[in-house]
Amino acid sequence: MRRRPNLAFVLLTTVALVLVSGVATRGFAAPQVQGVSLQIPGLTVHGDTNSWTIVAILTFLTLLPAIILSMTPFVRILIIFHFLRQALGTQSTPSNQTLIGLSIFLTYFLMAPVGASIQQQAIIPLEAGTVTAWEAIDRGSVPLRKFMLQSTREKDLALFVGMSGQPRPKQPEDIPMSTVIPAYIISEIKTGFQIGAILFLPFLVIDMVTASVTTSIGMMQLPPVVISTPLKILLFVVADGWNLVVGSMMKSFH
């Protein structure tokens, strides 16, 4: 039986032949690319537009996870979901991918108004050419700083302001982002642990009652966790737990 040729292989071969023939016809002429240069005091780096665009995109993609973790409610949401799963006794349900995906979309929901403000105050004027890139960064940091300060404790802000050696600011808007971001992360972690501990209490009561009952009747062959886990899941489903947890968590940001 004759084997049919691979369509992808045929297309790639055709494209390669066309490129080779085009280069041969032009006499291996180098393409003309518009050049750009990066000038820093004491250093000048030359390159082309495509290379600098690739560098900027790769740098942004590298820093994107850190930006999501440090400047959004993602940390608090993920910590709460982790404690909830541990309290229910389901070690891998929902899966990590499910919890991370839900945390990302809830973070997007919460940060949508902030993103709209940044677009109106910074991105649109930058595209219109009315402000420079640094002015756009300063304008865009204002709504983001306001959002983070709403969830940051004064004690954490005072800690990093004192460690930085800077004079005491007259108003919260004068605090630099290098101080606001670590204080915000610590506050979010503390809040996430507080909410997680509160979620643990009702399920802990069920575990204690189940262990006491099974011990008193002499049921030693069956571990208490085997009985308490279905009871906790049933209670969580009957009380519409996901709606209550997500609703209360989202309201805690306002």
Side-chain angles (χ1 to χ4, degrees), residues 3-199:
R3 187 177 181 182
R4 298 181 59 184
N6 192 336
L7 181 59
F9 176 76
V10 174
L11 292 176
L12 290 175
T13 305
T14 305
V15 172
L17 291 175
V18 171
L19 292 177
V20 171
S21 61
V23 172
T25 303
R26 292 192 299 269
F28 298 94
Q32 299 294 329
V33 182
Q34 183 180 2
V36 295
S37 61
L38 176 62
Q39 295 183 355
I40 305 175
L43 176 65
T44 302
V45 181
H46 298 278
D48 56 84
T49 305
N50 294 333
S51 63
W52 283 114
T53 302
I54 294 174
V55 170
I57 293 175
L58 292 178
T59 303
F60 176 76
L61 291 177
T62 304
L63 298 177
L64 184 59
I67 294 173
I68 294 177
L69 289 176
S70 60
M71 304 175 70
T72 64
F74 182 82
V75 173
R76 183 197 301 189
I77 296 173
L78 193 59
I79 289 175
I80 293 173
F81 285 158
H82 174 74
F83 275 105
L84 177 61
R85 187 173 64 179
Q86 294 294 324
L88 285 172
T90 55
Q91 300 299 325
S92 59
T93 304
S95 62
N96 292 332
Q97 291 80 1
T98 303
L99 294 181
I100 292 175
L102 180 58
S103 301
I104 290 175
F105 282 106
L106 291 178
T107 302
Y108 172 77
F109 180 83
L110 290 170
M111 297 299 294
V114 181
S117 300
I118 294 175
Q119 182 179 7
Q120 292 292 332
Q121 299 179 20
I123 298 178
I124 293 179
L126 179 63
E127 293 177 347
T130 57
V131 297
T132 62
W134 290 112
E135 292 176 350
I137 293 175
D138 292 336
R139 290 189 178 188
S141 63
V142 173
L144 190 58
R145 181 189 290 108
K146 182 179 179 181
F147 174 82
M148 290 191 293
L149 288 175
Q150 292 176 353
S151 303
T152 306
R153 300 185 306 164
E154 294 183 2
K155 183 178 180 180
D156 296 329
L157 283 174
L159 172 65
F160 286 97
V161 169
M163 293 176 62
S164 63
Q166 300 174 354
R168 185 179 180 86
K170 297 181 180 180
Q171 54 186 357
E173 289 74 13
D174 297 334
I175 304 176
M177 293 292 287
S178 59
T179 304
V180 174
I181 292 175
Y184 172 76
I185 295 175
I186 292 180
S187 299
E188 287 292 280
I189 294 176
K190 177 179 175 58
T191 305
F193 272 78
Q194 289 176 340
I195 299 176
I198 295 174
L199 287 175

